[in-house]
Amino acid sequence: MPLNRSSPPPRLKILILSTPVGALGSGLGGGVELTIANLARELRSRGHTIAIIAPLGSQLGDLPTIQVPGELQLTAQTQEQAASISMPGDPVLANMWATARAIQHDYDLIFNTAFDWLPFYLTPFFDRPIAHFVSMGSQIAAIDLAIERVAVDFPGTIGVCTRTQAATFSFGDRCHIVGGSGVDPAVYDYCDTPEQTLAWLGRISPEKALQDAVAAAERTGMKLKIMGKIQDPDYWAQIQCDYPHAPIEYLGFLPTHQLQQALRTCKGLLMTPRWVEAFGNVAIESFACGVPVIAYRRGGPAEIITDGKTGFLVEPDSIDGLVSAIARLDEIDRAQCRHAAETVFSQSVWGTVMESWFYRLVD
Ligand code: UDP
């Protein structure tokens, strides 16, 4: 679709391909679930037509969803770098992309959010341009290779969240940095009068190192509210066993409205990922509530948090670092956090970035 530069930008028809590791709303997909929902709403509010192909059972409110049956994919972060590409007998991933191929001509652009081999392999076989949103750093060599081929043959189509994420790939300079997400500030209530409580949000899975936050809470004696999907039950059981007296409270995997209600009254959010987190949606959701974020100086959070202004960046994997930063939380002006969510990490700011990327790809 060539764009006529003198007329208003055209309304696009965008087909969004969801993650194949879980139904939307299940929490198994991690941050990409919120990212898809917020982007779809933003694009729709700008007059674009969107449809989302997602695994059966997905819940996306009033967003148009094409539900596809099949078995879920394994998450990439639970596999070795040298892992072979594996597919279950009746893969939802393949079924979703077969659906996309059948209806691609009704759309101007396909937006891929799956961090898996197949969508990259299939790219040359599609007629419509595909914008690939790569939401993790390098995990599996075979997937890296498939992404790299697309980066070379279809320049500009690989979008990543942050510079540090791009640097995990040998072809990082061929990636287009588009940011990781944007929140609607209206969905999160600002709170200026926090309690002596900390928060930790996310998938409960080893790469997120929840145990570090629990250890820091134990040292400070401050209560830690934990919210998120228990992706690895053995890992969660081990933490409870290792820290039987830590002042923690697990609130479950909460929908956004309840999550922000529990988060907003907290003094700070702890982010403790061991891996190179590509972005970190929970940081910007925390900002939207006015809650400063303490994170290891590594990966996406190090690009999101302004040290001393919207939170603190501490030495990676240092419990001492977390504890010292917790003691300094009063130095942060919570209004600055909210301001960052409104002006830098909002759904509308991110929508503009993504929309201009999409226009370039259909042009
Ligand atoms: N989340 C949620 N309910 C919870 C805890 C977390 O919906 O109780 C969501 C949160 O809104 C965020 C996601 O889980 O969008 C975690 O995303 P993040 O980018 O921080 O990490 P990822 O899981 O992608 O590695």
Side-chain angles (χ1 to χ4, degrees), residues 134-166:
V134 177
S135 61
M136 282 193 246
S138 172
Q139 298 293 322
I140 297 178
I143 295 182
D144 286 7
L145 189 59
I147 301 175
E148 182 171 11
R149 287 194 177 133
V150 175
V152 171
D153 294 343
F154 301 88
T157 63
I158 302 294
V160 295
C161 307
T162 51
R163 292 187 304 279
T164 34
Q165 177 203 358

PDB file of all heavy atoms in Angstrom, residues 134-166:
ATOM      1  N   VAL A 134      10.065  -8.531  18.878  1.00  0.00           N
ATOM      2  CA  VAL A 134      10.878  -9.520  19.602  1.00  0.00           C
ATOM      3  C   VAL A 134      10.945  -9.079  21.066  1.00  0.00           C
ATOM      4  O   VAL A 134      11.552  -8.058  21.379  1.00  0.00           O
ATOM      5  CB  VAL A 134      12.281  -9.621  18.965  1.00  0.00           C
ATOM      6  CG1 VAL A 134      13.153 -10.583  19.756  1.00  0.00           C
ATOM      7  CG2 VAL A 134      12.165 -10.061  17.508  1.00  0.00           C
ATOM      8  N   SER A 135      10.310  -9.849  21.944  1.00  0.00           N
ATOM      9  CA  SER A 135      10.138  -9.370  23.321  1.00  0.00           C
ATOM     10  C   SER A 135      11.073 -10.045  24.325  1.00  0.00           C
ATOM     11  O   SER A 135      10.871  -9.930  25.528  1.00  0.00           O
ATOM     12  CB  SER A 135       8.684  -9.563  23.760  1.00  0.00           C
ATOM     13  OG  SER A 135       8.375 -10.934  23.720  1.00  0.00           O
ATOM     14  N   MET A 136      12.084 -10.747  23.818  1.00  0.00           N
ATOM     15  CA  MET A 136      13.084 -11.332  24.728  1.00  0.00           C
ATOM     16  C   MET A 136      14.455 -11.170  24.103  1.00  0.00           C
ATOM     17  O   MET A 136      14.583 -11.012  22.884  1.00  0.00           O
ATOM     18  CB  MET A 136      12.828 -12.836  24.917  1.00  0.00           C
ATOM     19  CG  MET A 136      11.710 -13.143  25.862  1.00  0.00           C
ATOM     20  SD  MET A 136      11.723 -14.882  26.302  1.00  0.00           S
ATOM     21  CE  MET A 136      10.202 -15.391  25.552  1.00  0.00           C
ATOM     22  N   GLY A 137      15.473 -11.254  24.948  1.00  0.00           N
ATOM     23  CA  GLY A 137      16.838 -11.282  24.425  1.00  0.00           C
ATOM     24  C   GLY A 137      17.149 -12.682  23.919  1.00  0.00           C
ATOM     25  O   GLY A 137      16.294 -13.574  23.945  1.00  0.00           O
ATOM     26  N   SER A 138      18.383 -12.862  23.462  1.00  0.00           N
ATOM     27  CA  SER A 138      18.796 -14.148  22.915  1.00  0.00           C
ATOM     28  C   SER A 138      18.547 -15.272  23.915  1.00  0.00           C
ATOM     29  O   SER A 138      18.983 -15.200  25.058  1.00  0.00           O
ATOM     30  CB  SER A 138      20.289 -14.068  22.582  1.00  0.00           C
ATOM     31  OG  SER A 138      20.759 -15.340  22.226  1.00  0.00           O
ATOM     32  N   GLN A 139      17.832 -16.307  23.476  1.00  0.00           N
ATOM     33  CA  GLN A 139      17.548 -17.453  24.349  1.00  0.00           C
ATOM     34  C   GLN A 139      18.013 -18.770  23.740  1.00  0.00           C
ATOM     35  O   GLN A 139      18.542 -19.617  24.418  1.00  0.00           O
ATOM     36  CB  GLN A 139      16.025 -17.573  24.602  1.00  0.00           C
ATOM     37  CG  GLN A 139      15.382 -16.399  25.297  1.00  0.00           C
ATOM     38  CD  GLN A 139      15.861 -16.244  26.720  1.00  0.00           C
ATOM     39  OE1 GLN A 139      16.077 -17.206  27.433  1.00  0.00           O
ATOM     40  NE2 GLN A 139      16.092 -15.009  27.134  1.00  0.00           N
ATOM     41  N   ILE A 140      17.722 -18.927  22.433  1.00  0.00           N
ATOM     42  CA  ILE A 140      17.969 -20.212  21.773  1.00  0.00           C
ATOM     43  C   ILE A 140      18.659 -19.901  20.435  1.00  0.00           C
ATOM     44  O   ILE A 140      18.151 -19.089  19.647  1.00  0.00           O
ATOM     45  CB  ILE A 140      16.633 -20.958  21.527  1.00  0.00           C
ATOM     46  CG1 ILE A 140      15.959 -21.277  22.867  1.00  0.00           C
ATOM     47  CG2 ILE A 140      16.857 -22.229  20.710  1.00  0.00           C
ATOM     48  CD1 ILE A 140      14.617 -21.962  22.754  1.00  0.00           C
ATOM     49  N   ALA A 141      19.797 -20.543  20.187  1.00  0.00           N
ATOM     50  CA  ALA A 141      20.590 -20.211  18.993  1.00  0.00           C
ATOM     51  C   ALA A 141      19.783 -20.380  17.702  1.00  0.00           C
ATOM     52  O   ALA A 141      19.884 -19.567  16.777  1.00  0.00           O
ATOM     53  CB  ALA A 141      21.848 -21.079  18.962  1.00  0.00           C
ATOM     54  N   ALA A 142      18.964 -21.426  17.637  1.00  0.00           N
ATOM     55  CA  ALA A 142      18.203 -21.684  16.405  1.00  0.00           C
ATOM     56  C   ALA A 142      17.198 -20.561  16.136  1.00  0.00           C
ATOM     57  O   ALA A 142      16.937 -20.205  14.980  1.00  0.00           O
ATOM     58  CB  ALA A 142      17.481 -23.026  16.515  1.00  0.00           C
ATOM     59  N   ILE A 143      16.636 -20.001  17.193  1.00  0.00           N
ATOM     60  CA  ILE A 143      15.685 -18.886  16.998  1.00  0.00           C
ATOM     61  C   ILE A 143      16.456 -17.639  16.583  1.00  0.00           C
ATOM     62  O   ILE A 143      16.039 -16.906  15.676  1.00  0.00           O
ATOM     63  CB  ILE A 143      14.837 -18.643  18.266  1.00  0.00           C
ATOM     64  CG1 ILE A 143      13.941 -19.852  18.547  1.00  0.00           C
ATOM     65  CG2 ILE A 143      13.982 -17.376  18.116  1.00  0.00           C
ATOM     66  CD1 ILE A 143      13.018 -19.709  19.751  1.00  0.00           C
ATOM     67  N   ASP A 144      17.616 -17.415  17.208  1.00  0.00           N
ATOM     68  CA  ASP A 144      18.455 -16.262  16.818  1.00  0.00           C
ATOM     69  C   ASP A 144      18.730 -16.298  15.314  1.00  0.00           C
ATOM     70  O   ASP A 144      18.630 -15.283  14.618  1.00  0.00           O
ATOM     71  CB  ASP A 144      19.815 -16.300  17.536  1.00  0.00           C
ATOM     72  CG  ASP A 144      19.716 -15.909  19.004  1.00  0.00           C
ATOM     73  OD1 ASP A 144      18.593 -15.747  19.498  1.00  0.00           O
ATOM     74  OD2 ASP A 144      20.776 -15.761  19.639  1.00  0.00           O
ATOM     75  N   LEU A 145      19.087 -17.480  14.842  1.00  0.00           N
ATOM     76  CA  LEU A 145      19.443 -17.613  13.422  1.00  0.00           C
ATOM     77  C   LEU A 145      18.245 -17.292  12.525  1.00  0.00           C
ATOM     78  O   LEU A 145      18.369 -16.580  11.516  1.00  0.00           O
ATOM     79  CB  LEU A 145      19.942 -19.041  13.164  1.00  0.00           C
ATOM     80  CG  LEU A 145      20.554 -19.327  11.806  1.00  0.00           C
ATOM     81  CD1 LEU A 145      21.756 -18.417  11.557  1.00  0.00           C
ATOM     82  CD2 LEU A 145      20.983 -20.798  11.725  1.00  0.00           C
ATOM     83  N   ALA A 146      17.084 -17.786  12.933  1.00  0.00           N
ATOM     84  CA  ALA A 146      15.874 -17.517  12.136  1.00  0.00           C
ATOM     85  C   ALA A 146      15.556 -16.017  12.132  1.00  0.00           C
ATOM     86  O   ALA A 146      15.190 -15.449  11.100  1.00  0.00           O
ATOM     87  CB  ALA A 146      14.693 -18.309  12.703  1.00  0.00           C
ATOM     88  N   ILE A 147      15.753 -15.355  13.295  1.00  0.00           N
ATOM     89  CA  ILE A 147      15.470 -13.906  13.360  1.00  0.00           C
ATOM     90  C   ILE A 147      16.489 -13.167  12.491  1.00  0.00           C
ATOM     91  O   ILE A 147      16.144 -12.241  11.743  1.00  0.00           O
ATOM     92  CB  ILE A 147      15.542 -13.377  14.814  1.00  0.00           C
ATOM     93  CG1 ILE A 147      14.554 -14.103  15.721  1.00  0.00           C
ATOM     94  CG2 ILE A 147      15.266 -11.879  14.849  1.00  0.00           C
ATOM     95  CD1 ILE A 147      14.652 -13.716  17.212  1.00  0.00           C
ATOM     96  N   GLU A 148      17.738 -13.598  12.579  1.00  0.00           N
ATOM     97  CA  GLU A 148      18.791 -12.906  11.826  1.00  0.00           C
ATOM     98  C   GLU A 148      18.522 -12.958  10.312  1.00  0.00           C
ATOM     99  O   GLU A 148      18.702 -11.969   9.601  1.00  0.00           O
ATOM    100  CB  GLU A 148      20.158 -13.529  12.126  1.00  0.00           C
ATOM    101  CG  GLU A 148      21.284 -12.817  11.398  1.00  0.00           C
ATOM    102  CD  GLU A 148      22.663 -13.271  11.844  1.00  0.00           C
ATOM    103  OE1 GLU A 148      22.757 -14.285  12.561  1.00  0.00           O
ATOM    104  OE2 GLU A 148      23.637 -12.594  11.457  1.00  0.00           O
ATOM    105  N   ARG A 149      18.058 -14.114   9.849  1.00  0.00           N
ATOM    106  CA  ARG A 149      17.763 -14.224   8.403  1.00  0.00           C
ATOM    107  C   ARG A 149      16.706 -13.202   7.996  1.00  0.00           C
ATOM    108  O   ARG A 149      16.810 -12.568   6.945  1.00  0.00           O
ATOM    109  CB  ARG A 149      17.285 -15.635   8.074  1.00  0.00           C
ATOM    110  CG  ARG A 149      18.431 -16.614   8.122  1.00  0.00           C
ATOM    111  CD  ARG A 149      18.084 -17.948   7.470  1.00  0.00           C
ATOM    112  NE  ARG A 149      19.267 -18.788   7.502  1.00  0.00           N
ATOM    113  CZ  ARG A 149      19.296 -20.053   7.893  1.00  0.00           C
ATOM    114  NH1 ARG A 149      18.183 -20.647   8.265  1.00  0.00           N
ATOM    115  NH2 ARG A 149      20.412 -20.735   7.888  1.00  0.00           N
ATOM    116  N   VAL A 150      15.705 -13.042   8.841  1.00  0.00           N
ATOM    117  CA  VAL A 150      14.654 -12.058   8.524  1.00  0.00           C
ATOM    118  C   VAL A 150      15.231 -10.640   8.594  1.00  0.00           C
ATOM    119  O   VAL A 150      14.949  -9.791   7.732  1.00  0.00           O
ATOM    120  CB  VAL A 150      13.448 -12.211   9.486  1.00  0.00           C
ATOM    121  CG1 VAL A 150      12.411 -11.120   9.246  1.00  0.00           C
ATOM    122  CG2 VAL A 150      12.815 -13.587   9.309  1.00  0.00           C
ATOM    123  N   ALA A 151      16.077 -10.409   9.596  1.00  0.00           N
ATOM    124  CA  ALA A 151      16.670  -9.067   9.744  1.00  0.00           C
ATOM    125  C   ALA A 151      17.476  -8.695   8.494  1.00  0.00           C
ATOM    126  O   ALA A 151      17.482  -7.531   8.069  1.00  0.00           O
ATOM    127  CB  ALA A 151      17.572  -9.031  10.976  1.00  0.00           C
ATOM    128  N   VAL A 152      18.128  -9.685   7.884  1.00  0.00           N
ATOM    129  CA  VAL A 152      18.945  -9.426   6.693  1.00  0.00           C
ATOM    130  C   VAL A 152      18.061  -9.293   5.445  1.00  0.00           C
ATOM    131  O   VAL A 152      18.212  -8.360   4.659  1.00  0.00           O
ATOM    132  CB  VAL A 152      19.980 -10.568   6.512  1.00  0.00           C
ATOM    133  CG1 VAL A 152      20.692 -10.448   5.170  1.00  0.00           C
ATOM    134  CG2 VAL A 152      20.977 -10.572   7.666  1.00  0.00           C
ATOM    135  N   ASP A 153      17.121 -10.219   5.293  1.00  0.00           N
ATOM    136  CA  ASP A 153      16.321 -10.251   4.060  1.00  0.00           C
ATOM    137  C   ASP A 153      15.164  -9.244   4.050  1.00  0.00           C
ATOM    138  O   ASP A 153      14.700  -8.858   2.986  1.00  0.00           O
ATOM    139  CB  ASP A 153      15.745 -11.664   3.843  1.00  0.00           C
ATOM    140  CG  ASP A 153      16.853 -12.672   3.561  1.00  0.00           C
ATOM    141  OD1 ASP A 153      17.974 -12.237   3.212  1.00  0.00           O
ATOM    142  OD2 ASP A 153      16.611 -13.885   3.712  1.00  0.00           O
ATOM    143  N   PHE A 154      14.703  -8.856   5.249  1.00  0.00           N
ATOM    144  CA  PHE A 154      13.574  -7.904   5.347  1.00  0.00           C
ATOM    145  C   PHE A 154      13.969  -6.784   6.302  1.00  0.00           C
ATOM    146  O   PHE A 154      13.482  -6.723   7.446  1.00  0.00           O
ATOM    147  CB  PHE A 154      12.312  -8.626   5.838  1.00  0.00           C
ATOM    148  CG  PHE A 154      11.873  -9.758   4.951  1.00  0.00           C
ATOM    149  CD1 PHE A 154      12.378 -11.040   5.136  1.00  0.00           C
ATOM    150  CD2 PHE A 154      10.980  -9.535   3.915  1.00  0.00           C
ATOM    151  CE1 PHE A 154      11.987 -12.086   4.307  1.00  0.00           C
ATOM    152  CE2 PHE A 154      10.587 -10.561   3.080  1.00  0.00           C
ATOM    153  CZ  PHE A 154      11.095 -11.848   3.271  1.00  0.00           C
ATOM    154  N   PRO A 155      14.861  -5.892   5.845  1.00  0.00           N
ATOM    155  CA  PRO A 155      15.394  -4.882   6.769  1.00  0.00           C
ATOM    156  C   PRO A 155      14.284  -4.040   7.400  1.00  0.00           C
ATOM    157  O   PRO A 155      13.293  -3.714   6.757  1.00  0.00           O
ATOM    158  CB  PRO A 155      16.284  -4.014   5.862  1.00  0.00           C
ATOM    159  CG  PRO A 155      16.550  -4.846   4.656  1.00  0.00           C
ATOM    160  CD  PRO A 155      15.379  -5.780   4.491  1.00  0.00           C
ATOM    161  N   GLY A 156      14.489  -3.735   8.676  1.00  0.00           N
ATOM    162  CA  GLY A 156      13.544  -2.857   9.375  1.00  0.00           C
ATOM    163  C   GLY A 156      12.358  -3.574   9.969  1.00  0.00           C
ATOM    164  O   GLY A 156      11.512  -2.951  10.618  1.00  0.00           O
ATOM    165  N   THR A 157      12.262  -4.896   9.769  1.00  0.00           N
ATOM    166  CA  THR A 157      11.058  -5.593  10.246  1.00  0.00           C
ATOM    167  C   THR A 157      11.232  -6.210  11.631  1.00  0.00           C
ATOM    168  O   THR A 157      10.281  -6.754  12.191  1.00  0.00           O
ATOM    169  CB  THR A 157      10.620  -6.714   9.275  1.00  0.00           C
ATOM    170  OG1 THR A 157      11.647  -7.707   9.218  1.00  0.00           O
ATOM    171  CG2 THR A 157      10.345  -6.182   7.883  1.00  0.00           C
ATOM    172  N   ILE A 158      12.453  -6.156  12.171  1.00  0.00           N
ATOM    173  CA  ILE A 158      12.667  -6.722  13.513  1.00  0.00           C
ATOM    174  C   ILE A 158      12.661  -5.586  14.532  1.00  0.00           C
ATOM    175  O   ILE A 158      13.579  -4.758  14.563  1.00  0.00           O
ATOM    176  CB  ILE A 158      14.021  -7.475  13.596  1.00  0.00           C
ATOM    177  CG1 ILE A 158      14.082  -8.592  12.543  1.00  0.00           C
ATOM    178  CG2 ILE A 158      14.236  -8.027  15.012  1.00  0.00           C
ATOM    179  CD1 ILE A 158      13.099  -9.722  12.739  1.00  0.00           C
ATOM    180  N   GLY A 159      11.634  -5.555  15.365  1.00  0.00           N
ATOM    181  CA  GLY A 159      11.531  -4.542  16.415  1.00  0.00           C
ATOM    182  C   GLY A 159      11.910  -5.153  17.756  1.00  0.00           C
ATOM    183  O   GLY A 159      11.464  -6.254  18.087  1.00  0.00           O
ATOM    184  N   VAL A 160      12.759  -4.466  18.499  1.00  0.00           N
ATOM    185  CA  VAL A 160      13.101  -4.920  19.853  1.00  0.00           C
ATOM    186  C   VAL A 160      12.781  -3.789  20.829  1.00  0.00           C
ATOM    187  O   VAL A 160      12.578  -2.643  20.431  1.00  0.00           O
ATOM    188  CB  VAL A 160      14.585  -5.331  19.983  1.00  0.00           C
ATOM    189  CG1 VAL A 160      14.912  -6.538  19.124  1.00  0.00           C
ATOM    190  CG2 VAL A 160      15.506  -4.167  19.658  1.00  0.00           C
ATOM    191  N   CYS A 161      12.779  -4.145  22.123  1.00  0.00           N
ATOM    192  CA  CYS A 161      12.327  -3.182  23.136  1.00  0.00           C
ATOM    193  C   CYS A 161      13.408  -2.181  23.524  1.00  0.00           C
ATOM    194  O   CYS A 161      13.124  -0.995  23.686  1.00  0.00           O
ATOM    195  CB  CYS A 161      11.875  -3.912  24.391  1.00  0.00           C
ATOM    196  SG  CYS A 161      10.665  -5.203  24.102  1.00  0.00           S
ATOM    197  N   THR A 162      14.628  -2.685  23.745  1.00  0.00           N
ATOM    198  CA  THR A 162      15.671  -1.827  24.322  1.00  0.00           C
ATOM    199  C   THR A 162      17.038  -2.109  23.682  1.00  0.00           C
ATOM    200  O   THR A 162      17.228  -3.139  23.031  1.00  0.00           O
ATOM    201  CB  THR A 162      15.793  -2.096  25.849  1.00  0.00           C
ATOM    202  OG1 THR A 162      15.920  -3.509  26.056  1.00  0.00           O
ATOM    203  CG2 THR A 162      14.614  -1.565  26.620  1.00  0.00           C
ATOM    204  N   ARG A 163      17.968  -1.198  23.933  1.00  0.00           N
ATOM    205  CA  ARG A 163      19.330  -1.357  23.380  1.00  0.00           C
ATOM    206  C   ARG A 163      20.021  -2.571  24.000  1.00  0.00           C
ATOM    207  O   ARG A 163      20.691  -3.317  23.310  1.00  0.00           O
ATOM    208  CB  ARG A 163      20.172  -0.106  23.683  1.00  0.00           C
ATOM    209  CG  ARG A 163      19.719   1.149  22.955  1.00  0.00           C
ATOM    210  CD  ARG A 163      20.707   2.282  23.179  1.00  0.00           C
ATOM    211  NE  ARG A 163      20.946   2.574  24.589  1.00  0.00           N
ATOM    212  CZ  ARG A 163      20.141   3.309  25.369  1.00  0.00           C
ATOM    213  NH1 ARG A 163      19.040   3.846  24.860  1.00  0.00           N
ATOM    214  NH2 ARG A 163      20.427   3.525  26.638  1.00  0.00           N
ATOM    215  N   THR A 164      19.855  -2.732  25.317  1.00  0.00           N
ATOM    216  CA  THR A 164      20.544  -3.863  25.959  1.00  0.00           C
ATOM    217  C   THR A 164      19.988  -5.193  25.464  1.00  0.00           C
ATOM    218  O   THR A 164      20.727  -6.163  25.348  1.00  0.00           O
ATOM    219  CB  THR A 164      20.444  -3.803  27.498  1.00  0.00           C
ATOM    220  OG1 THR A 164      19.201  -3.247  27.860  1.00  0.00           O
ATOM    221  CG2 THR A 164      21.551  -3.015  28.108  1.00  0.00           C
ATOM    222  N   GLN A 165      18.700  -5.215  25.172  1.00  0.00           N
ATOM    223  CA  GLN A 165      18.133  -6.452  24.607  1.00  0.00           C
ATOM    224  C   GLN A 165      18.746  -6.696  23.233  1.00  0.00           C
ATOM    225  O   GLN A 165      19.179  -7.811  22.924  1.00  0.00           O
ATOM    226  CB  GLN A 165      16.605  -6.322  24.490  1.00  0.00           C
ATOM    227  CG  GLN A 165      15.944  -7.535  23.853  1.00  0.00           C
ATOM    228  CD  GLN A 165      14.581  -7.208  23.240  1.00  0.00           C
ATOM    229  OE1 GLN A 165      14.104  -6.065  23.318  1.00  0.00           O
ATOM    230  NE2 GLN A 165      13.964  -8.189  22.636  1.00  0.00           N
ATOM    231  N   ALA A 166      18.793  -5.645  22.401  1.00  0.00           N
ATOM    232  CA  ALA A 166      19.361  -5.786  21.049  1.00  0.00           C
ATOM    233  C   ALA A 166      20.795  -6.313  21.126  1.00  0.00           C
ATOM    234  O   ALA A 166      21.209  -7.154  20.321  1.00  0.00           O
ATOM    235  CB  ALA A 166      19.332  -4.441  20.321  1.00  0.00           C
TER     236      ALA A 166
END
